[in-house]
């Protein structure tokens, strides 16, 4: 047993020798045979370095892989991911998420057609699983024993699940009272050690970064470039589903900005691998009360100011996004857009997505609300081909659904709301309640 483990370790170390990270601030490169939270020289953000000696053919994707990796919507893109040793890979067949094309939602946005790629179809019901499979696999490859994140709820649920699958100890810092019950219960259920910080997400992440610098604890927040490598596959899969017909715009919600950064890197890698010959524009949508990146964009990327975040979309309630420089690079390279939507716009878009039978959590609906706003403002033509990303499942925040349908913000019944009614267990009462439907 120990011999096998030793052999695995040696092979893992050999494989890792070829994987490198590079600082986007100072350019210093390093081997990725240790945790890669930040640049050891200047503290900047790291990128995983991928080079392509020759163009990749589309049919090389998914070819020649063992079944467990082929079944994953992340690992099937292995030639476009860092070469982590197979023995270290922890996968739960993540990814493989659908794109919904719904005419009602296209009309809602003011577009002729609109696709919504639903990342809530992942094992722990958010896009985080795509980054987590790569992050946790790298953690295993470098021999980490404890993995940790600060989270608004989805990263923690995903980390807890993948750490359990990998047999690693998981530590989670969450802002106390500020994450949804569904996400908290997932994290409890999967057995992570949960520390509630009396502060906001930004303070929790600052604390955790201090902790992981001082102790041998592997940081899995999206400052970790391996997380972003997994999240790139949302774009890979989306383009493959569109038969590589590159859309005009891809819209996504922005919180800590890891996903915006990952989408930019995905497009760079696809370009460098010769798989696409044109780039879609990226549009990052922030909640108006948590929009430091939108303000930075509006200043022509001249002035950046963190904010104290406030929004109903707790997943993106973040005032000082850790991946800001990477996200800026992604927006600049794709001639992208950054805009904001109010909580009311988010909830209205969410109600439309829910009502179409698709469903998503509030933060996800920022994609649709943002696209609608861009169309209204004339930044996006009605005939543009657009795909929005829904980042999390409707059940992630059940309270948000019930609250919305029970009453409006002033406590009055909301027009068009779907309020459950209560009756005694009698046929007459049931008939009375359904009179409209029964008698036309
Ligand atoms: N949508 C959902 C459902 C999220 O959970 C998050 C981030 C985002 C969008 C924003 O993505 O941070 O890459 O810009 N959630 C993190 C968490 C912060 O801890 O679960 P981002």
């Amino acid at each position: 047993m120990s011999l096998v483990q030793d052999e695995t370790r040696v092979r893992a170390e050999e494989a890792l020798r070829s994987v490198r990270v590079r600082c986007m601030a100072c350019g210093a490169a390093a081997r990725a045979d240790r945790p890669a939270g930040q640049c050891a020289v200047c503290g900047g953000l790291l990128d995983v370095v991928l080079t392509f000696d020759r163009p990749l053919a589309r049919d090389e994707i998914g070819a020649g892989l063992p079944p467990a990796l082929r079944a994953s919507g992340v690992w099937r893109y292995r030639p476009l991911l860092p070469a982590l040793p197979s023995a270290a890979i922890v996968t739960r067949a993540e990814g493989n998420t659908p794109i919904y094309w719904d005419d009602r939602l296209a009309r809602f946005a003011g577009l002729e057609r609109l696709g919504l790629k639903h990342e809530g179809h992942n094992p722990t019901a958010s896009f985080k699983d795509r980054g987590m499979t790569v992050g946790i696999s790298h953690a295993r490859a470098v021999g980490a024993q404890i993995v940790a994140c600060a989270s608004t709820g989805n990263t923690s649920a995903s980390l807890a699940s993948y750490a359990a699958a990998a047999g690693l100890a998981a530590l989670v810092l969450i802002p106390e009272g500020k994450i949804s019950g569904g996400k908290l219960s997932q994290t409890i259920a999967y057995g992570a050690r949960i520390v509630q910080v009396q502060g906001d997400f930004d303070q929790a992440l600052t604390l955790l970064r201090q902790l992981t610098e001082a102790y041998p604890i592997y940081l899995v927040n999206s400052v970790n470039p391996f997380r972003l490598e997994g999240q790139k596959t949302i774009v890979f899969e989306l383009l493959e589903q569109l038969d590589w017909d590159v859309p005009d715009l891809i819209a996504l919600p922005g919180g800590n900005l890891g996903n915006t950064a990952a989408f930019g890197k995905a497009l760079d890698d696809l370009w460098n691998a010769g798989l696409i010959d044109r780039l879609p524009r990226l549009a990052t949508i922030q909640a108006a009360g948590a929009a430091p990146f939108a303000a930075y964009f509006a200043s022509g990327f001249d002035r950046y100011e963190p904010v104290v975040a406030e929004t109903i979309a707790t997943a993106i309630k973040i005032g000082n996004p850790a991946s800001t420089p990477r996200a800026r690079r992604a927006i600049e390279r794709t001639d992208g857009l950054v805009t904001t939507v109010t909580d009311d716009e988010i909830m209205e878009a969410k109600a439309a997505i829910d009502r179409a039978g698709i469903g998503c959590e509030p933060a996800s609906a920022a994609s649709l609300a943002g696209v609608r706003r861009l169309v209204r403002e004339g930044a996006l033509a009605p005939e543009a081909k657009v795909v929005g990303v829904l980042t999390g499942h409707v059940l992630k925040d059940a309270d948000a659904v019930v609250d919305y349908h029970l009453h409006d913000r002033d406590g009055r019944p909301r027009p068009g709301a779907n309020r459950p009614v209560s009756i005694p267990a009698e046929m007459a009462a049931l008939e009375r309640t359904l009179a409209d439907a029964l008698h036309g």
Side-chain angles (χ1 to χ4, degrees), residues 127-128 151-155 254-259 315-316 318 361 363 391:
F127 73 99
K128 302 290 182 178
S151 179
T152 55
N154 278 326
T155 306
N256 215 20
L257 298 176
N259 227 15
I316 52 174
I318 294 172
E361 67 166 287
T391 43

Side-chain angles (χ1 to χ4, degrees), residues 1 8 29 84 124 139 166 169 185 238 257 325 373 387 426 439:
M1 185 67 183
T8 306
L84 297 181
T124 74
S185 51
L238 184 161
L257 298 176
R373 181 172 270 224
V387 179
E426 292 159 9
H439 305 298

